[in-house]
Amino acid sequence: MLRWMSDDTRRKKEPEVYNNVVEGLKKIYRNKLLPLEETYKYHDFHSPALDDPDFDAKPMILLIGQYSTGKTTFIRYLLEQDFPGIRIGPEPTTDRFIVVMGAETEGVIPGNALVVDPKKQFKPLTKFGNAFLNRFQCSQLKNPVLDSITIVDTPGILSGEKQRVDRGYDFAGVLEWFAEHVDRIILLFDAHKLDISDEFRRAIEAIKGHDDKIRIVLNKADMINHQQLMRVYGALMWSLGKVLNTPEVARVYIGSFWDQPLQFDTNRRLFELEEQDLFRDLQMLPRNAALRKLNDLIKRARLAKVHAYIIAQLKKEMPSVFGKDSKKKDLINKLPEIFAQLQREHQISPGDFPDCKRFQEQLQHQDFTKFHQLRPKLIEVVDNMLATDIARLMQMIPTEERENAEKNEANGNIQGGAFEGYTESPFGIGRGEGADAGRGEHEWVVEANKYEYDDSFSKLNPVNGKISGAAAKSEMVKSKLPNTVLSKVWKLADIDRDGMLDADEWALANHLIKIKLEGHDLPNNLPEHLIPPSKRDVAAS
């Protein structure tokens, strides 16, 4: 009998097997973190409980900015088509939160219907009431970009206290909810509208704590010339420094995200490179979706643990019979001291505590007598979840990504729309430039300047039509490129691997040096169009 019990106990301790990362996240949240949240009223203070759609949802991008900064136009630029309910203009046209999602049929779902859809993750937004739900909708359309991501358009932010009151709902609270659930937050600024209004400041404060998700875009940068752009960029960095309150310099993407001709095209190359960097960042969202959900669950678990310690400490200090109201006020007032005490007792980082002033306001409406004492078992379960279950799911992510890449030719990247131009079009970044120049042409691209290279080749005293590595080095170092770069040039140019260069290989080496000096990167492997015609049989073998 005892042996049977011990075998059963051993069986229970065996780690559970998860089919995939998302399925594992659902199970460990329901079984290990949710009980702690429910016991200590976490959902009353922070965010509602998570449902299956929160884990299953596609990556979301949230756009925030003042009116007429190009938020809706940015979405249209990505999709390369209009979506239902789109309105674009210089005045504040978007007066609602619009979730742009992929679907087989085009249409609009009103807010009240959207929040009761069990397959979508917007149920918690019901707490913001009809005033918000009447200004909330989902625009559905068939678009390849939306097969991988969902985009959320927001009302243009205005200035002044009056505008905040007139909305009729907690605008900052809605932004905070979305900030917690999205994968990227794009703050858009207009090159002609750099002032950060009162409401915009509150919006930025609402998304604080999610700094890793924030990307800043200076839009409509083609409207000003090069000198003005430098001044605008400096002014924007100064304004952001006052609002973000971080010692690090924020990364700002500069561009003009619409399909109209550039007013000043002197910065065209800069805009293309900045757009490429931003698109590359967005392209990673589907591939990193599971990792982001894992990261958010870890942050939630850490906050839930700290919350449990706070509530348990308040319960512990409450009297059992008399003087409850006065003690409640006293505890709320000395909450900073309680935070400091818990920090020392449990070795908690100060950054893991919630905002003290906001927590004090929330406590005003709570009945302290319904709080629970600390239950170490619940804390232990969450600690075990972080130490073992999360670690196992982390190990599954690389394997899962590799399997998804094998099934999907796109390797998890966003396809279609504006993203397509960077893979298929000759107008994509780097196409026809640097090492890509001459691709698809009949004549070898190096031939245009080969007479110059032949002249320098003859001056190096070739023997049997070839120069030695030492002779080549004496000339190549005159480029002032580092030895590491010149070594790479040599490896690419010495196609037959004989330690010497003939006239064609020498011309190729000089062409590669020229590419690098013009600011382009060298290829890791020599493209087929750069191989000298006399060497193509050698390279093929």
Side-chain angles (χ1 to χ4, degrees):
M1 178 72 175
L2 289 174
R3 201 173 94 188
W4 176 83
M5 289 177 66
S6 63
D7 287 345
D8 185 61
T9 304
R10 196 180 301 117
R11 248 194 324 271
K12 286 182 179 178
K13 289 183 178 179
E14 289 179 359
E16 189 174 357
V17 177
Y18 304 122
N19 295 327
N20 54 59
V21 175
V22 171
E23 195 64 34
L25 286 172
K26 292 179 187 177
K27 288 183 179 178
I28 65 174
Y29 173 73
R30 282 195 300 264
N31 299 332
K32 300 189 176 182
L33 183 55
L34 184 58
L36 180 74
E37 293 181 355
E38 290 176 337
T39 301
Y40 295 101
K41 298 180 176 290
Y42 175 90
H43 308 137
D44 293 345
F45 289 82
H46 301 287
S47 57
L50 299 177
D51 293 321
D52 285 355
D54 292 304
F55 296 99
D56 296 329
K58 296 174 185 174
M60 283 200 295
I61 299 173
L62 176 67
L63 300 177
I64 302 176
Q66 299 185 117
Y67 73 92
S68 193
T69 53
K71 298 186 299 298
T72 308
T73 306
F74 184 88
I75 298 176
R76 191 187 184 285
Y77 183 79
L78 293 184
L79 302 181
E80 293 187 342
Q81 72 175 98
D82 291 343
F83 57 85
I86 187 173
R87 290 177 62 205
I88 297 175
E91 76 282 5
T93 50
T94 303
D95 63 345
R96 60 192 61 221
F97 284 79
I98 302 177
V99 179
V100 186
M101 304 184 79
E104 289 300 317
T105 57
E106 188 173 305
V108 173
I109 304 176
N112 280 289
L114 187 59
V115 295
V116 297
D117 187 341
K119 295 181 180 179
K120 294 183 173 60
Q121 68 271 39
F122 305 113
K123 180 181 176 182
L125 290 170
T126 53
K127 69 177 182 179
F128 295 105
N130 275 329
F132 164 70
L133 295 178
N134 290 335
R135 290 173 173 81
F136 180 47
Q137 72 178 51
C138 174
S139 295
Q140 294 184 319
L141 70 155
K142 187 174 177 60
N143 187 286
V145 174
L146 299 176
D147 291 341
S148 305
I149 58 172
T150 296
I151 309 174
V152 183
D153 194 9
T154 61
I157 295 175
L158 303 168
S159 60
E161 184 70 17
K162 179 175 178 293
Q163 298 295 340
R164 185 180 72 87
V165 174
D166 282 349
R167 290 193 190 276
Y169 61 90
D170 184 5
F171 180 69
V174 175
L175 287 180
E176 187 175 357
W177 184 90
F178 273 108
E180 186 177 346
H181 291 79
V182 301
D183 297 70
R184 279 291 176 272
I185 303 168
I186 297 182
L187 288 179
L188 277 103
F189 289 85
D190 186 333
H192 288 98
K193 214 189 289 145
L194 295 181
D195 60 305
I196 297 180
S197 65
D198 297 337
E199 190 177 31
F200 199 9
R201 180 184 292 271
R202 282 190 290 269
I204 294 174
E205 289 172 352
I207 62 176
K208 277 187 177 177
H210 304 282
D211 298 353
D212 56 322
K213 300 179 180 180
I214 298 175
R215 302 292 183 268
I216 299 165
V217 173
L218 176 59
N219 198 18
K220 303 185 181 181
D222 70 304
M223 299 292 189
I224 52 180
N225 61 35
H226 187 74
Q227 184 183 21
Q228 292 170 329
L229 180 59
M230 290 176 63
R231 292 176 177 172
V232 166
Y233 180 81
L236 176 59
M237 298 302 288
W238 181 79
S239 299
L240 288 172
K242 293 177 64 178
V243 177
L244 297 178
N245 294 324
T246 56
E248 299 86 2
V249 177
R251 170 69 160 97
V252 177
Y253 297 90
I254 303 171
S256 188
F257 297 91
W258 67 338
D259 56 5
Q260 300 302 309
L262 300 178
Q263 299 296 314
F264 291 90
D265 66 347
T266 53
N267 295 310
R268 183 189 193 99
R269 176 66 178 169
L270 170 66
F271 298 159
E272 289 176 350
L273 292 173
E274 291 287 287
E275 184 176 303
Q276 181 191 30
D277 287 349
L278 179 60
F279 279 18
R280 187 183 293 123
D281 181 75
L282 299 181
Q283 286 271 27
M284 297 297 291
L285 294 181
R287 200 180 310 174
N288 295 335
L291 187 59
R292 196 275 301 173
K293 292 182 175 79
L294 192 65
N295 183 61
D296 283 355
L297 189 67
I298 295 170
K299 286 165 58 176
R300 187 181 180 101
R302 291 169 66 91
L303 181 59
K305 273 182 59 182
V306 174
H307 179 80
Y309 285 130
I310 297 170
I311 297 299
Q313 185 66 26
L314 294 173
K315 175 65 175 179
K316 181 180 177 182
E317 298 195 23
M318 281 292 288
S320 56
V321 183
F322 301 110
K324 293 181 180 179
D325 291 339
S326 60
K327 186 62 176 177
K328 174 181 175 179
K329 293 178 182 177
D330 181 53
L331 288 174
I332 292 175
N333 290 332
K334 72 170 193 175
L335 191 63
E337 300 172 24
I338 294 174
F339 280 13
Q341 177 187 341
L342 292 173
Q343 182 183 336
R344 290 190 302 271
E345 287 181 4
H346 301 285
Q347 289 80 47
I348 302 171
S349 170
D352 287 347
F353 283 89
D355 180 75
C356 186
K357 185 177 180 181
R358 180 178 177 184
F359 206 85
Q360 286 174 318
E361 293 173 356
Q362 292 170 322
L363 285 172
Q364 301 283 354
H365 310 290
Q366 294 291 327
D367 184 355
F368 283 26
T369 61
K370 294 183 179 179
F371 289 169
H372 292 285
Q373 297 280 4
L374 188 65
R375 298 180 183 176
K377 185 65 178 174
L378 290 174
I379 300 290
E380 184 183 332
V381 168
V382 174
D383 285 336
N384 181 63
M385 178 195 83
L386 292 171
T388 58
D389 295 285
I390 293 293
R392 285 172 49 223
L393 291 176
M394 283 286 291
Q395 293 173 355
M396 290 174 61
I397 287 178
T399 305
E400 194 169 293
E401 286 181 349
R402 188 165 57 251
E403 291 174 353
N404 290 338
E406 290 173 358
K407 294 176 185 176
N408 183 6
E409 293 180 2
N411 289 329
N413 287 340
I414 303 173
Q415 297 296 300
F419 296 96
E420 202 69 41
Y422 290 92
T423 54
E424 302 298 332
S425 167
F427 292 93
I429 293 294
R431 291 298 177 93
E433 302 172 359
D436 196 66
R439 185 187 297 275
E441 296 180 8
H442 295 292
E443 188 176 349
W444 186 36
V445 68
V446 183
E447 199 70 48
N449 296 309
K450 194 168 182 298
Y451 67 94
E452 296 178 13
Y453 307 143
D454 287 344
D455 184 51
S456 63
F457 180 76
S458 63
K459 292 177 181 178
L460 294 174
N461 302 318
V463 177
N464 296 325
K466 294 192 175 185
I467 57 174
S468 65
K473 179 179 179 180
S474 66
E475 186 68 21
M476 290 169 68
V477 294
K478 293 178 182 178
S479 67
K480 298 182 181 180
L481 289 172
N483 283 349
T484 52
V485 175
L486 294 176
S487 176
K488 185 173 184 178
V489 169
W490 177 271
K491 291 174 182 175
L492 291 171
D494 186 13
I495 297 172
D496 51 17
R497 300 290 185 268
D498 62 353
M500 294 183 289
L501 301 181
D502 61 20
D504 284 349
E505 290 174 328
W506 172 250
L508 174 59
N510 280 271
H511 181 73
L512 293 172
I513 289 173
K514 181 183 176 185
I515 288 172
K516 187 62 181 176
L517 291 175
E518 289 176 348
H520 301 286
D521 292 328
L522 294 176
N524 292 322
N525 298 299
L526 194 66
E528 186 177 345
H529 68 279
L530 286 184
I531 300 173
S534 62
K535 300 287 182 180
R536 286 177 183 169
D537 292 339
V538 176
S541 60

